[in-house]
Amino acid sequence: MKRQKIVTFGELLLRFSKPGQLRLTQGDMFTSKYGGSEANVAVSLATQGEDVTYITRLPDTPVGHAGAQCMALMGVDISRIIYGGKRIGTYYFEPAAGMRAAKVVYDRDHSAYYDLAPGMIPWRDILKDADIFQVSGITAAISQQAADASFEALDIADEMGVSAGDALVCID
């Protein structure tokens, strides 16, 4: 059975968490991991043996390159990631404990992805061999520029006959 070529697009984030069940206001240490909705989809599909390319914009810094490498280590093609901007988007996660709900605090303003604009990503070249293009509603909700870039990608994918796949796409 031929593997399908899947392209995912979204913001790679750096997650900071407190160890154990500590609140964000407790202690002085954080652990960190890279993630984000579309990145998680890409890793999940790649670990199941699918041919997945992840598209995002990261800062051209050691932190940005470390995030890309994290994806590559999981079998995701990162060769089309673009670099620019000054910072990676972050979020802070406080795990649930007992009756306490989990808490998430995002810090995405003016991240490399937030400032992404239409025309920065060579969609026709990236999607030329793709079977499926995956993007979610949050990808377009980060900023107006990110929304414009998301809809640019969706329009080109549609024009090129690349399937959005009902189970993989959610545009609100």
Side-chain angles (χ1 to χ4, degrees):
M1 181 175 185
K2 177 188 175 287
R3 291 189 319 164
Q4 292 187 314
K5 173 69 176 165
I6 302 166
V7 174
T8 66
F9 172 55
E11 183 176 26
L12 185 66
L13 297 163
L14 181 56
R15 180 184 81 191
F16 292 103
S17 304
K18 290 291 186 161
Q21 302 299 315
L22 292 178
R23 291 179 173 263
L24 292 173
T25 57
Q26 295 176 312
D28 60 358
M29 296 192 59
F30 283 93
T31 60
S32 64
K33 292 190 181 289
Y34 291 94
S37 296
E38 299 76 23
N40 295 342
V41 168
V43 167
S44 179
L45 291 169
T47 58
Q48 295 177 55
E50 298 295 341
D51 181 7
V52 184
T53 299
Y54 181 61
I55 308 299
T56 194
R57 183 175 186 238
L58 292 170
D60 192 8
T61 65
V63 173
H65 287 278
Q69 282 303 115
C70 180
M71 298 290 291
L73 289 172
M74 300 304 292
V76 176
D77 175 8
I78 60 164
S79 65
R80 304 311 301 256
I81 288 176
I82 63 169
Y83 292 91
K86 295 184 178 180
R87 61 184 292 267
I88 191 168
T90 60
Y91 70 103
Y92 301 84
F93 177 72
E94 180 179 288
M99 298 295 288
R100 182 181 81 209
K103 183 185 291 185
V104 178
V105 178
Y106 288 95
D107 182 7
R108 291 173 143 164
D109 283 354
H110 298 289
S111 67
Y113 183 86
Y114 181 101
D115 292 332
L116 177 68
M120 287 183 167
I121 298 173
W123 288 114
R124 291 183 199 294
D125 188 43
I126 290 168
L127 295 171
K128 70 180 175 203
D129 298 324
D131 297 299
I132 297 172
F133 178 61
Q134 186 270 328
V135 63
S136 71
I138 193 62
T139 300
I142 305 302
S143 66
Q144 184 61 56
Q145 306 94 288
D148 295 342
S150 297
F151 285 103
E152 172 191 44
L154 286 165
D155 288 343
I156 292 171
D158 183 54
E159 176 187 310
M160 296 177 72
V162 177
S163 173
D166 293 338
L168 295 175
V169 174
C170 174
I171 297 294
D172 298 321

